[in-house]
Amino acid sequence: MSLPQFKLLRLRSVEEAVGHLAQQGGNIRVLAGGTDLIPSMRQKLFEPQYVLDVRGISALRGIRPQADGGVEIGALTTLRAIERSQFLRQHYPVLTEAAATVASPVLRNMGTIGGNICLDTRCLWYNQSLTWRKGCGFCIKKDGDLCHVAPGGTKCWAAFSGDTPPALLCLYAEIEIANAQGLRRIALHDFYSGLGDDYRRLQPDELVTRVFLPASSANYSGVYRKLRVRGSIDYPLAGVAVALKRSSNGNGLGHVTEARVGITAVNPAPLLVKGASELLKDKAVDEALAEAVGDLAARTAKPLTTSALTPEYRREMIRVFTKRAVLAAAGLS
Ligand SMILES: Cc1cc2nc3c(=O)[nH]c(=O)nc-3n(C[C@H](O)[C@H](O)[C@H](O)COP(=O)(O)OP(=O)(O)OC[C@H]3O[C@@H](n4cnc5c(N)ncnc54)[C@H](O)[C@@H]3O)c2cc1C
Ligand code: SF4
């Protein structure tokens, strides 16, 4: 599959980059690591006139611990750098665990945290070549007006399938977005719309520049579990992130003081499981409690036939992985 023709623009500063984004309107795409953009362009899912290569903006690389105990991560920081960061492993382990499961080492060397956050939603009817899509009929997400997954409906249910966003949601991450007018900072939670075909609240003239993890989310124990067909390379078909903190009572078996559970790949957006924190708070984790949290997560998951493996199996694995992740985060497995 060949790449469509485009003009490559190489930029060295955020100001220059957002200037070009504003000029070109919807005819431009940001290239970070390119690990998702380039295959998508080959499949003619995106056919931009311009590609804005931001890899030369060195200010957007790096992991910078802040004086208040939080940390700032440049959007162009590779997943490999995140996976290998001693600071993040020690203070925000759910993020390093999730980053380490993305694709394969080669792709993590190229792929960035900003690209992972901005990743397009996926569907078996969409992530195909132009010839394939022409043969089967276009759908709402691109060029068509029907959905093969939920026929009769008008909504696209393509699944958000990034690994780090559920971990970032558990850490109450915020992101910084730049445009020609300046910078704004929003909770990552507010970035995703829940619509498969218009999944992120980012204008075509905007660039994600930084990720912030607050000090208040540091030092939670963290676990990420992921279902995929192969042990490496594959996108998640269901993913669960758990971050929890326990009171210390001398022998390390205190009650949960704070907990968060995030899921991915089973809805059009990564989500925090509502009610999970309340369910776990002030309790000692045991099998029954971990199972109850698993039930809650499974009720939040709405997998459809957008992905390999059946929706029933993927929902069940959300239940199982949540239970296991809660037990592991509590040091019980
Ligand atoms: C074989 C294969 C397996 C994969 N497996 C996984 C997996 O297991 N888990 C997973 O999460 N991902 C997976 N991926 C997808 C991808 O490798 C990762 O999500 C990676 O983090 C994407 O980052 P990138 O920098 O390469 O993004 P790019 O491909 O450069 O960009 C992705 C999208 O985000 C936009 N974008 C990128 N950065 C910014 C920014 N700073 N501001 C605004 N928009 C931006 C781009 O325009 C594009 O639309 C896989 C990809 C392949 C090819
Ligand atoms: S969920 Fe429906 S509209 Fe969305 S990509 Fe899949 S088939 Fe297309």
Side-chain angles (χ1 to χ4, degrees), residues 29-39 46 54 60 75-76 79 101-104 107 110-120 161-165 199-200 202 206-209 226 228 230 233-236:
R29 280 270 163 183
V30 172
L31 174 95
T35 60
D36 192 64
L37 183 73
I38 299 298
F46 308 136
V54 292
L60 297 188
L76 294 176
L79 295 166
T101 71
V102 174
S104 64
L107 288 159
M110 292 293 291
T112 64
I113 186 83
N116 203 236
I117 289 170
C118 293
L119 190 64
D120 194 8
S161 306
D163 283 301
T164 65
Y199 62 99
R200 57 183 185 180
L202 187 76
E206 293 185 319
L207 185 70
V208 174
T209 44
K226 161 176 178 177
R228 53 183 158 186
R230 297 169 290 192
I233 305 179
D234 284 343
Y235 288 87

CSV table of all heavy atoms in Angstrom, one decimal, residues 29-39 46 54 60 75-76 79 101-104 107 110-120 161-165 199-200 202 206-209 226 228 230 233-236, ligand 1:
chain,number,residue,atom,x,y,z
A,29,ARG,N,-1.8,16.9,9.1
A,29,ARG,CA,-1.8,15.9,10.2
A,29,ARG,C,-0.5,16.0,11.0
A,29,ARG,O,0.6,16.2,10.3
A,29,ARG,CB,-1.9,14.5,9.7
A,29,ARG,CG,-3.3,14.1,9.3
A,29,ARG,CD,-4.0,13.5,10.5
A,29,ARG,NE,-5.4,13.4,10.4
A,29,ARG,CZ,-6.2,12.9,11.3
A,29,ARG,NH1,-5.8,12.5,12.4
A,29,ARG,NH2,-7.5,12.9,11.1
A,30,VAL,N,-0.5,15.9,12.3
A,30,VAL,CA,0.7,15.9,13.1
A,30,VAL,C,1.4,14.6,13.0
A,30,VAL,O,0.7,13.5,13.1
A,30,VAL,CB,0.4,16.3,14.5
A,30,VAL,CG1,1.6,16.1,15.4
A,30,VAL,CG2,-0.2,17.7,14.6
A,31,LEU,N,2.7,14.5,12.8
A,31,LEU,CA,3.5,13.3,12.8
A,31,LEU,C,4.4,13.3,14.0
A,31,LEU,O,5.2,14.2,14.2
A,31,LEU,CB,4.4,13.2,11.6
A,31,LEU,CG,5.3,12.0,11.5
A,31,LEU,CD1,4.7,10.8,10.8
A,31,LEU,CD2,6.6,12.4,10.9
A,32,ALA,N,4.2,12.4,15.0
A,32,ALA,CA,5.0,12.4,16.2
A,32,ALA,C,6.0,11.2,16.0
A,32,ALA,O,7.0,11.3,15.3
A,32,ALA,CB,4.2,12.2,17.4
A,33,GLY,N,5.6,10.0,16.4
A,33,GLY,CA,6.4,8.8,16.1
A,33,GLY,C,6.1,8.2,14.8
A,33,GLY,O,6.9,7.5,14.1
A,34,GLY,N,4.9,8.5,14.3
A,34,GLY,CA,4.4,8.0,13.0
A,34,GLY,C,3.9,6.5,13.0
A,34,GLY,O,3.5,6.0,12.0
A,35,THR,N,4.0,5.9,14.2
A,35,THR,CA,3.7,4.4,14.2
A,35,THR,C,2.2,4.1,13.9
A,35,THR,O,1.9,3.0,13.5
A,35,THR,CB,4.1,3.8,15.5
A,35,THR,OG1,3.4,4.4,16.6
A,35,THR,CG2,5.6,3.9,15.7
A,36,ASP,N,1.4,5.1,14.2
A,36,ASP,CA,0.0,4.8,13.8
A,36,ASP,C,-0.4,5.7,12.6
A,36,ASP,O,-1.2,5.2,11.7
A,36,ASP,CB,-1.0,5.2,15.0
A,36,ASP,CG,-2.4,4.7,14.7
A,36,ASP,OD1,-2.6,3.5,14.6
A,36,ASP,OD2,-3.3,5.6,14.6
A,37,LEU,N,0.1,6.9,12.5
A,37,LEU,CA,-0.2,7.8,11.4
A,37,LEU,C,0.2,7.2,10.0
A,37,LEU,O,-0.6,7.2,9.1
A,37,LEU,CB,0.5,9.1,11.6
A,37,LEU,CG,0.1,10.1,10.5
A,37,LEU,CD1,-1.3,10.6,10.7
A,37,LEU,CD2,1.1,11.3,10.5
A,38,ILE,N,1.4,6.6,9.9
A,38,ILE,CA,1.9,6.2,8.6
A,38,ILE,C,1.1,5.0,8.1
A,38,ILE,O,0.6,5.0,7.0
A,38,ILE,CB,3.4,5.9,8.6
A,38,ILE,CG1,4.2,7.2,9.0
A,38,ILE,CG2,3.9,5.3,7.3
A,38,ILE,CD1,4.0,8.4,8.0
A,39,PRO,N,0.9,3.9,9.0
A,39,PRO,CA,0.0,2.8,8.5
A,39,PRO,C,-1.4,3.3,8.1
A,39,PRO,O,-2.0,2.8,7.1
A,39,PRO,CB,-0.1,1.9,9.7
A,39,PRO,CG,1.1,2.2,10.5
A,39,PRO,CD,1.5,3.6,10.3
A,46,PHE,N,-6.3,8.5,6.3
A,46,PHE,CA,-6.1,9.9,6.3
A,46,PHE,C,-5.3,10.3,5.0
A,46,PHE,O,-4.4,9.6,4.7
A,46,PHE,CB,-5.1,10.3,7.5
A,46,PHE,CG,-5.5,9.9,8.8
A,46,PHE,CD1,-4.6,9.3,9.7
A,46,PHE,CD2,-6.8,10.0,9.3
A,46,PHE,CE1,-4.9,8.9,10.9
A,46,PHE,CE2,-7.2,9.6,10.5
A,46,PHE,CZ,-6.3,9.0,11.4
A,54,VAL,N,6.8,17.0,13.9
A,54,VAL,CA,7.2,17.8,15.1
A,54,VAL,C,8.3,17.2,15.8
A,54,VAL,O,8.7,17.6,16.9
A,54,VAL,CB,6.0,18.0,16.0
A,54,VAL,CG1,4.9,18.9,15.4
A,54,VAL,CG2,5.4,16.6,16.4
A,60,LEU,N,9.7,19.4,23.6
A,60,LEU,CA,8.6,18.5,23.9
A,60,LEU,C,9.0,17.1,24.3
A,60,LEU,O,8.2,16.2,24.2
A,60,LEU,CB,7.6,18.5,22.8
A,60,LEU,CG,6.9,19.9,22.5
A,60,LEU,CD1,5.8,19.7,21.5
A,60,LEU,CD2,6.4,20.5,23.8
A,75,ALA,N,5.2,15.7,25.3
A,75,ALA,CA,4.3,14.9,24.4
A,75,ALA,C,5.1,14.0,23.5
A,75,ALA,O,4.7,13.0,23.1
A,75,ALA,CB,3.3,15.8,23.6
A,76,LEU,N,6.3,14.5,23.2
A,76,LEU,CA,7.2,13.7,22.2
A,76,LEU,C,8.1,12.7,22.9
A,76,LEU,O,8.9,12.0,22.3
A,76,LEU,CB,8.0,14.6,21.4
A,76,LEU,CG,7.3,15.5,20.4
A,76,LEU,CD1,8.2,16.5,19.7
A,76,LEU,CD2,6.5,14.7,19.4
A,79,LEU,N,7.6,6.1,24.4
A,79,LEU,CA,7.1,5.1,25.3
A,79,LEU,C,8.2,4.3,26.0
A,79,LEU,O,8.1,3.9,27.1
A,79,LEU,CB,6.1,4.2,24.6
A,79,LEU,CG,4.8,5.0,24.1
A,79,LEU,CD1,4.0,4.1,23.2
A,79,LEU,CD2,4.0,5.4,25.3
A,101,THR,N,3.7,-2.3,27.8
A,101,THR,CA,2.9,-3.3,27.0
A,101,THR,C,2.5,-2.9,25.6
A,101,THR,O,1.9,-3.6,24.8
A,101,THR,CB,1.6,-3.7,27.7
A,101,THR,OG1,0.7,-2.6,27.6
A,101,THR,CG2,1.8,-4.0,29.2
A,102,VAL,N,2.8,-1.6,25.3
A,102,VAL,CA,2.4,-1.1,24.0
A,102,VAL,C,3.2,-1.8,22.9
A,102,VAL,O,4.5,-1.9,22.9
A,102,VAL,CB,2.6,0.4,23.9
A,102,VAL,CG1,2.4,0.9,22.4
A,102,VAL,CG2,1.7,1.2,24.8
A,103,ALA,N,2.5,-2.4,21.9
A,103,ALA,CA,3.2,-2.9,20.7
A,103,ALA,C,4.4,-3.7,21.0
A,103,ALA,O,4.3,-4.8,21.6
A,103,ALA,CB,3.4,-1.7,19.7
A,104,SER,N,5.6,-3.3,20.5
A,104,SER,CA,6.8,-4.0,20.6
A,104,SER,C,7.9,-3.0,20.9
A,104,SER,O,7.7,-1.8,20.7
A,104,SER,CB,7.1,-4.7,19.3
A,104,SER,OG,7.3,-3.7,18.3
A,107,LEU,N,8.5,-0.4,18.2
A,107,LEU,CA,7.5,0.6,18.1
A,107,LEU,C,7.5,1.5,19.3
A,107,LEU,O,7.2,2.7,19.1
A,107,LEU,CB,6.1,-0.1,17.9
A,107,LEU,CG,5.9,-0.7,16.5
A,107,LEU,CD1,4.8,-1.8,16.6
A,107,LEU,CD2,5.5,0.3,15.5
A,110,MET,N,9.9,4.4,18.8
A,110,MET,CA,9.4,5.5,17.9
A,110,MET,C,8.1,6.2,18.5
A,110,MET,O,8.0,7.4,18.5
A,110,MET,CB,9.0,4.9,16.6
A,110,MET,CG,10.1,4.4,15.7
A,110,MET,SD,11.2,5.7,15.2
A,110,MET,CE,10.2,6.6,14.0
A,111,GLY,N,7.2,5.4,19.0
A,111,GLY,CA,5.9,5.9,19.5
A,111,GLY,C,6.0,6.8,20.7
A,111,GLY,O,6.9,6.5,21.6
A,112,THR,N,5.2,7.8,20.7
A,112,THR,CA,5.3,8.8,21.8
A,112,THR,C,4.1,8.7,22.7
A,112,THR,O,3.0,8.2,22.3
A,112,THR,CB,5.4,10.2,21.2
A,112,THR,OG1,4.2,10.5,20.5
A,112,THR,CG2,6.6,10.3,20.2
A,113,ILE,N,4.2,9.4,23.9
A,113,ILE,CA,3.0,9.4,24.8
A,113,ILE,C,1.9,10.3,24.2
A,113,ILE,O,0.7,10.0,24.3
A,113,ILE,CB,3.5,9.9,26.2
A,113,ILE,CG1,2.3,9.8,27.2
A,113,ILE,CG2,4.0,11.3,26.2
A,113,ILE,CD1,2.1,8.5,27.8
A,114,GLY,N,2.3,11.4,23.5
A,114,GLY,CA,1.3,12.3,22.9
A,114,GLY,C,0.5,11.5,21.8
A,114,GLY,O,-0.7,11.6,21.7
A,115,GLY,N,1.3,10.7,21.0
A,115,GLY,CA,0.6,9.9,20.0
A,115,GLY,C,-0.3,8.8,20.6
A,115,GLY,O,-1.4,8.5,20.0
A,116,ASN,N,0.1,8.3,21.7
A,116,ASN,CA,-0.7,7.3,22.3
A,116,ASN,C,-2.0,7.9,22.9
A,116,ASN,O,-3.1,7.3,22.8
A,116,ASN,CB,0.1,6.6,23.5
A,116,ASN,CG,-0.4,5.2,23.8
A,116,ASN,OD1,-0.8,4.9,24.9
A,116,ASN,ND2,-0.5,4.3,22.8
A,117,ILE,N,-1.9,9.1,23.4
A,117,ILE,CA,-3.1,9.8,23.9
A,117,ILE,C,-4.1,10.1,22.7
A,117,ILE,O,-5.3,10.0,22.8
A,117,ILE,CB,-2.7,11.0,24.7
A,117,ILE,CG1,-2.1,10.6,26.0
A,117,ILE,CG2,-3.9,12.0,24.9
A,117,ILE,CD1,-1.4,11.8,26.8
A,118,CYS,N,-3.4,10.6,21.6
A,118,CYS,CA,-4.2,11.0,20.5
A,118,CYS,C,-4.6,9.9,19.5
A,118,CYS,O,-5.3,10.2,18.5
A,118,CYS,CB,-3.4,12.1,19.7
A,118,CYS,SG,-3.1,13.6,20.6
A,119,LEU,N,-4.2,8.7,19.8
A,119,LEU,CA,-4.5,7.6,18.9
A,119,LEU,C,-5.9,7.5,18.4
A,119,LEU,O,-6.9,7.6,19.2
A,119,LEU,CB,-4.2,6.3,19.7
A,119,LEU,CG,-4.1,5.0,19.0
A,119,LEU,CD1,-2.9,5.0,18.0
A,119,LEU,CD2,-3.9,3.8,20.0
A,120,ASP,N,-6.1,7.2,17.1
A,120,ASP,CA,-7.4,7.1,16.5
A,120,ASP,C,-8.1,5.9,17.1
A,120,ASP,O,-7.4,4.9,17.4
A,120,ASP,CB,-7.3,7.0,15.0
A,120,ASP,CG,-8.6,7.2,14.3
A,120,ASP,OD1,-9.6,7.6,14.9
A,120,ASP,OD2,-8.6,6.9,13.0
A,161,SER,N,-8.2,2.2,21.7
A,161,SER,CA,-7.3,1.1,22.0
A,161,SER,C,-5.9,1.5,22.3
A,161,SER,O,-5.0,0.7,22.0
A,161,SER,CB,-7.4,0.1,20.8
A,161,SER,OG,-8.7,-0.2,20.4
A,162,GLY,N,-5.8,2.6,23.1
A,162,GLY,CA,-4.4,2.9,23.6
A,162,GLY,C,-4.2,2.3,24.9
A,162,GLY,O,-5.2,2.2,25.7
A,163,ASP,N,-3.0,2.0,25.3
A,163,ASP,CA,-2.7,1.4,26.6
A,163,ASP,C,-2.4,2.4,27.7
A,163,ASP,O,-2.8,2.1,28.9
A,163,ASP,CB,-1.5,0.5,26.5
A,163,ASP,CG,-1.8,-0.8,25.8
A,163,ASP,OD1,-2.7,-1.6,26.3
A,163,ASP,OD2,-1.2,-1.2,24.8
A,164,THR,N,-1.8,3.5,27.4
A,164,THR,CA,-1.4,4.4,28.5
A,164,THR,C,-2.6,5.3,29.0
A,164,THR,O,-2.6,5.6,30.2
A,164,THR,CB,-0.2,5.3,28.2
A,164,THR,OG1,-0.5,6.2,27.2
A,164,THR,CG2,1.0,4.5,27.8
A,165,PRO,N,-3.6,5.7,28.2
A,165,PRO,CA,-4.6,6.5,28.7
A,165,PRO,C,-5.4,6.0,30.0
A,165,PRO,O,-5.6,6.8,30.9
A,165,PRO,CB,-5.5,6.8,27.5
A,165,PRO,CG,-4.5,6.8,26.4
A,165,PRO,CD,-3.6,5.6,26.7
A,199,TYR,N,-13.5,11.2,18.3
A,199,TYR,CA,-13.2,10.7,19.6
A,199,TYR,C,-12.4,11.6,20.6
A,199,TYR,O,-12.4,11.4,21.8
A,199,TYR,CB,-12.3,9.4,19.5
A,199,TYR,CG,-11.0,9.7,18.8
A,199,TYR,CD1,-9.8,9.8,19.5
A,199,TYR,CD2,-10.9,9.8,17.4
A,199,TYR,CE1,-8.6,10.0,18.9
A,199,TYR,CE2,-9.7,10.1,16.8
A,199,TYR,CZ,-8.6,10.2,17.5
A,199,TYR,OH,-7.4,10.5,16.9
A,200,ARG,N,-11.8,12.7,20.1
A,200,ARG,CA,-11.0,13.6,21.0
A,200,ARG,C,-11.5,15.0,20.8
A,200,ARG,O,-11.8,15.4,19.7
A,200,ARG,CB,-9.5,13.4,20.7
A,200,ARG,CG,-9.2,13.7,19.3
A,200,ARG,CD,-7.7,13.5,18.9
A,200,ARG,NE,-7.6,14.0,17.5
A,200,ARG,CZ,-6.5,14.0,16.8
A,200,ARG,NH1,-5.4,13.5,17.4
A,200,ARG,NH2,-6.4,14.4,15.6
A,202,LEU,N,-10.0,17.9,20.3
A,202,LEU,CA,-8.8,18.6,19.8
A,202,LEU,C,-9.1,19.2,18.4
A,202,LEU,O,-9.5,18.4,17.5
A,202,LEU,CB,-7.7,17.6,19.7
A,202,LEU,CG,-6.3,18.2,19.4
A,202,LEU,CD1,-5.7,18.8,20.7
A,202,LEU,CD2,-5.3,17.1,18.9
A,206,GLU,N,-4.7,22.3,16.7
A,206,GLU,CA,-4.1,22.2,18.0
A,206,GLU,C,-3.1,21.1,18.1
A,206,GLU,O,-3.2,20.1,17.4
A,206,GLU,CB,-5.2,22.0,19.0
A,206,GLU,CG,-6.1,23.3,19.1
A,206,GLU,CD,-7.2,23.2,20.2
A,206,GLU,OE1,-7.8,22.1,20.4
A,206,GLU,OE2,-7.4,24.2,20.9
A,207,LEU,N,-2.2,21.3,19.1
A,207,LEU,CA,-1.1,20.3,19.3
A,207,LEU,C,-1.1,20.0,20.8
A,207,LEU,O,-1.1,20.9,21.6
A,207,LEU,CB,0.2,21.0,18.9
A,207,LEU,CG,1.5,20.2,19.0
A,207,LEU,CD1,1.5,19.1,17.9
A,207,LEU,CD2,2.7,21.1,18.8
A,208,VAL,N,-1.0,18.7,21.1
A,208,VAL,CA,-0.8,18.3,22.5
A,208,VAL,C,0.6,18.5,22.8
A,208,VAL,O,1.5,17.9,22.1
A,208,VAL,CB,-1.3,16.8,22.8
A,208,VAL,CG1,-1.0,16.4,24.2
A,208,VAL,CG2,-2.8,16.7,22.5
A,209,THR,N,1.0,19.2,23.9
A,209,THR,CA,2.4,19.5,24.1
A,209,THR,C,3.0,18.9,25.4
A,209,THR,O,4.1,18.5,25.4
A,209,THR,CB,2.6,21.1,24.2
A,209,THR,OG1,1.5,21.6,25.0
A,209,THR,CG2,2.5,21.7,22.8
A,226,LYS,N,-3.6,-6.6,30.3
A,226,LYS,CA,-4.1,-6.4,28.9
A,226,LYS,C,-4.3,-7.7,28.2
A,226,LYS,O,-3.5,-8.6,28.3
A,226,LYS,CB,-2.9,-5.6,28.2
A,226,LYS,CG,-2.9,-5.6,26.7
A,226,LYS,CD,-1.8,-4.7,26.3
A,226,LYS,CE,-1.7,-4.7,24.8
A,226,LYS,NZ,-0.7,-3.8,24.2
A,228,ARG,N,-4.6,-9.5,24.6
A,228,ARG,CA,-4.3,-9.4,23.2
A,228,ARG,C,-4.1,-10.8,22.6
A,228,ARG,O,-4.0,-11.7,23.3
A,228,ARG,CB,-3.1,-8.5,23.0
A,228,ARG,CG,-1.9,-9.0,23.8
A,228,ARG,CD,-0.7,-8.0,23.6
A,228,ARG,NE,0.3,-8.1,24.7
A,228,ARG,CZ,1.3,-7.3,24.8
A,228,ARG,NH1,1.5,-6.3,23.9
A,228,ARG,NH2,2.1,-7.4,25.8
A,230,ARG,N,-1.6,-11.9,20.5
A,230,ARG,CA,-0.3,-12.4,20.7
A,230,ARG,C,0.3,-11.7,21.9
A,230,ARG,O,-0.1,-10.6,22.3
A,230,ARG,CB,0.6,-12.0,19.5
A,230,ARG,CG,0.1,-12.7,18.2
A,230,ARG,CD,0.8,-12.1,17.0
A,230,ARG,NE,0.3,-10.7,16.7
A,230,ARG,CZ,0.6,-10.1,15.6
A,230,ARG,NH1,1.3,-10.6,14.7
A,230,ARG,NH2,0.1,-8.8,15.4
A,233,ILE,N,3.3,-7.0,20.3
A,233,ILE,CA,2.9,-6.3,19.1
A,233,ILE,C,1.5,-5.8,19.1
A,233,ILE,O,1.1,-4.8,18.6
A,233,ILE,CB,3.3,-7.0,17.8
A,233,ILE,CG1,4.7,-7.4,17.8
A,233,ILE,CG2,2.9,-6.2,16.6
A,233,ILE,CD1,5.1,-8.2,16.6
A,234,ASP,N,0.5,-6.6,19.7
A,234,ASP,CA,-0.9,-6.3,19.4
A,234,ASP,C,-1.4,-5.2,20.3
A,234,ASP,O,-1.1,-5.1,21.5
A,234,ASP,CB,-1.7,-7.6,19.7
A,234,ASP,CG,-1.6,-8.6,18.5
A,234,ASP,OD1,-1.1,-8.2,17.5
A,234,ASP,OD2,-1.9,-9.7,18.7
A,235,TYR,N,-2.4,-4.5,19.7
A,235,TYR,CA,-3.2,-3.6,20.5
A,235,TYR,C,-4.0,-4.3,21.5
A,235,TYR,O,-4.3,-5.5,21.4
A,235,TYR,CB,-4.2,-2.9,19.5
A,235,TYR,CG,-3.7,-1.9,18.5
A,235,TYR,CD1,-3.2,-2.4,17.3
A,235,TYR,CD2,-3.7,-0.6,18.8
A,235,TYR,CE1,-2.7,-1.5,16.4
A,235,TYR,CE2,-3.2,0.3,17.9
A,235,TYR,CZ,-2.7,-0.1,16.7
A,235,TYR,OH,-2.2,0.8,15.8
A,236,PRO,N,-4.4,-3.6,22.6
A,236,PRO,CA,-5.3,-4.2,23.6
A,236,PRO,C,-6.7,-4.5,23.0
A,236,PRO,O,-7.2,-3.7,22.3
A,236,PRO,CB,-5.4,-3.2,24.7
A,236,PRO,CG,-5.2,-1.9,24.0
A,236,PRO,CD,-4.2,-2.2,22.9
B,1,LIG,C1,1.8,-3.2,14.8
B,1,LIG,C2,1.3,-2.1,15.7
B,1,LIG,C3,1.0,-2.5,17.0
B,1,LIG,C4,0.5,-1.5,17.9
B,1,LIG,N1,0.2,-1.9,19.1
B,1,LIG,C5,-0.2,-1.0,20.0
B,1,LIG,C6,-0.6,-1.3,21.4
B,1,LIG,O1,-0.4,-2.5,21.8
B,1,LIG,N2,-1.0,-0.4,22.2
B,1,LIG,C7,-1.1,0.9,21.8
B,1,LIG,O2,-1.5,1.8,22.7
B,1,LIG,N3,-0.8,1.3,20.6
B,1,LIG,C8,-0.3,0.4,19.7
B,1,LIG,N4,0.0,0.8,18.4
B,1,LIG,C9,-0.2,2.2,18.0
B,1,LIG,C10,1.0,3.1,18.2
B,1,LIG,O3,2.3,2.5,18.0
B,1,LIG,C11,1.1,3.8,19.6
B,1,LIG,O4,-0.3,4.1,20.0
B,1,LIG,C12,2.0,5.0,19.7
B,1,LIG,O5,2.0,5.5,21.0
B,1,LIG,C13,1.5,6.1,18.8
B,1,LIG,O6,2.4,7.2,19.0
B,1,LIG,P1,3.1,7.9,17.7
B,1,LIG,O7,4.0,8.9,18.3
B,1,LIG,O8,3.8,6.9,16.8
B,1,LIG,O9,1.8,8.5,17.0
B,1,LIG,P2,1.6,9.0,15.5
B,1,LIG,O10,1.4,7.8,14.7
B,1,LIG,O11,2.7,10.0,15.1
B,1,LIG,O12,0.3,9.8,15.7
B,1,LIG,C14,-0.9,9.1,16.1
B,1,LIG,C15,-2.1,10.1,15.9
B,1,LIG,O13,-2.0,11.1,16.9
B,1,LIG,C16,-1.8,12.4,16.3
B,1,LIG,N5,-0.8,13.1,17.2
B,1,LIG,C17,0.4,12.5,17.6
B,1,LIG,N6,1.0,13.3,18.4
B,1,LIG,C18,0.3,14.4,18.6
B,1,LIG,C19,0.4,15.6,19.3
B,1,LIG,N7,1.4,15.8,20.1
B,1,LIG,N8,-0.6,16.5,19.2
B,1,LIG,C20,-1.7,16.3,18.4
B,1,LIG,N9,-1.9,15.2,17.7
B,1,LIG,C21,-0.9,14.3,17.8
B,1,LIG,C22,-1.3,12.1,14.9
B,1,LIG,O14,-1.7,13.2,14.0
B,1,LIG,C23,-2.1,10.9,14.6
B,1,LIG,O15,-3.4,11.2,14.3
B,1,LIG,C24,0.5,-0.2,17.5
B,1,LIG,C25,0.9,0.2,16.2
B,1,LIG,C26,1.3,-0.8,15.3
B,1,LIG,C27,1.7,-0.4,14.0
